[in-house]
Amino acid sequence: MRQTLIAGNWKMNMTTAEAENFADELLKLNPKKNGEVLICPPFTDLYALGKKLAGSGIKLGAQNVFAEDSGAYTGEISPAMLLDLGVEYVIIGHSERRQIFNESNELINKKLLKLQEKNLKPILCIGETLEEREAGREYDLVKSQLSACLKDVNANKLKDLVIAYEPIWAIGTGRSASANDAEAICKFIRQELEKNFGDLAKEIRILYGGSVKPATINDIIAKENIDGALVGGASLKAADFAKLVAYEV
Ligand code: 13P
C-alpha cells in the first residue's frame, strides 16, 4: 500500500519571517495528517522552517538542486547542502524550470541520478502544455518525458521516487484537470512505469498537481492511481494547507 504524500510547493514566495508565521499557524491548527506531509519552501527558508517544524512530522523539501557535488557553479545548491538542512525530497523538472530556465530532460535526468546517489528523494514533474493537450499529444509527451528523465535510473531506489503529473494548463490557472482526467494520465504513467520496472513500479507514488484546492483534494486522492498532490497556491495559507493534509476519503 502506497502512503499518500501532500506536498506544498511555495515557489518564489515567503520571506523567512513569513515562513515562520506560517509554521506557527499550522502547528497551532494541528490538523490531522494523512500520510506524509511535505513543504518545499525557497532555499532561504529551509533552515528556519526546519527548526520550527522539528518534531512535527512535517517534512522539508527543496524546489531544485544542481547535479554536481560542489565547485564553480555560481548560484547553485548541492545535494549535500540540502541534506545538511534536513531536506528529504527535492522537486526536479518543474514546468516553470523547464519553460523559464530552459531545463532539458537531459539535465533533469542528471539531477535525478545525482539525487539517487545522495539518497535524496526526487519528485519528478512531468506534464503537457495546453497546445499539446489540444493536439491530443499528452500521452506521447508524458511518455517521452518519463523515458528521458528516468534514463539509467537505479531500480533499487525506485521506492523513493515520486512522479508529479502537472498539466501546465492547470498550474496557477484555477483550471484543474478533472479527477477522472488526472486519473487517466496517472494510470497511463503507472502502466509505463510497470512496462519498464515491473512490480517495482507499484511502489512509485504518483501525485497530481495543478490548481488543487481544499474543495478538490478529496476527489483527487480517492483515485486509484493518484497517491497525493503537489500544491502551489493553496499551500501558501496555513488554513488551506491544514485542510489539504486533513483530506478525507
Ligand atoms: P498551483 O497549485 O498554484 O496551480 O501550482 C501547482 C504547481 O505548480 C505545484 O508544483
Side-chain angles (χ1 to χ4, degrees):
M1 192 57 195
R2 296 180 295 270
Q3 208 186 9
T4 59
L5 173 62
I6 304 292
N9 173 10
W10 283 0
K11 309 191 179 184
M12 198 177 73
N13 295 291
M14 300 280 214
T15 61
T16 297
E18 288 166 344
E20 287 177 329
N21 284 340
F22 175 100
D24 287 341
E25 243 184 275
L26 184 63
L27 295 176
K28 210 151 92 194
L29 290 167
N30 192 23
K32 173 173 76 102
K33 289 189 283 297
N34 294 306
E36 273 186 298
V37 176
L38 178 70
I39 298 176
C40 305
F43 293 128
T44 46
D45 295 340
L46 283 168
Y47 181 75
L49 197 63
K51 278 193 149 181
K52 285 275 182 192
L53 296 179
S56 70
I58 300 171
K59 299 182 172 183
L60 271 190
Q63 298 176 18
N64 190 19
V65 68
F66 196 53
E68 298 290 341
D69 291 336
S70 64
Y73 304 104
T74 301
E76 293 298 320
I77 298 287
S78 74
M81 293 168 183
L82 297 178
L83 284 166
D84 203 30
L85 291 170
V87 165
E88 187 170 327
Y89 288 88
V90 183
I91 297 171
I92 51 172
H94 194 280
S95 59
E96 287 147 20
R97 298 227 47 100
R98 292 176 187 263
Q99 293 194 313
I100 304 168
F101 302 100
N102 294 321
E103 287 200 13
S104 63
N105 283 328
E106 195 187 5
L107 176 63
I108 295 159
N109 174 246
K110 277 194 190 142
K111 292 183 176 188
L112 191 142
L113 299 183
K114 180 56 78 179
L115 290 175
Q116 285 198 314
E117 180 195 320
K118 300 295 177 187
N119 292 320
L120 280 156
K121 298 173 181 170
I123 300 178
L124 169 65
C125 299
I126 56 176
E128 80 284 356
T129 61
L130 185 59
E131 228 178 13
E132 286 156 348
R133 172 157 285 242
E134 283 175 347
R137 292 184 45 230
E138 66 270 34
Y139 289 89
D140 283 351
L141 195 276
V142 157
K143 183 176 171 173
S144 70
Q145 284 180 330
L146 266 183
S147 77
C149 295
L150 296 179
K151 188 167 170 275
D152 299 329
V153 78
N154 181 343
N156 293 323
K157 295 193 174 171
L158 284 177
K159 65 173 192 339
D160 289 336
L161 173 66
V162 178
I163 308 285
Y165 168 60
E166 297 205 312
I168 294 167
W169 47 270
I171 295 178
T173 57
R175 179 180 167 190
S176 177
S178 72
N180 284 340
D181 273 0
E183 165 66 9
I185 301 249
C186 291
K187 184 175 178 187
F188 172 77
I189 292 170
R190 187 158 326 274
Q191 287 166 346
E192 284 301 306
L193 294 169
E194 278 171 6
K195 263 196 238 161
N196 287 298
F197 308 115
D199 275 352
L200 289 174
K202 294 194 166 61
E203 297 194 56
I204 300 174
R205 285 175 293 174
I206 304 176
L207 312 183
Y208 167 75
S211 297
V212 174
K213 306 281 181 247
T216 57
I217 186 75
N218 293 349
D219 285 350
I220 287 165
I221 218 124
K223 295 294 175 192
E224 189 184 337
N225 288 287
I226 303 180
D227 307 309
L230 183 57
V231 186
S235 72
L236 292 169
K237 288 209 180 98
D240 284 347
F241 194 63
K243 286 183 196 150
L244 289 168
V245 306
Y247 70 80
E248 290 185 24
V249 278

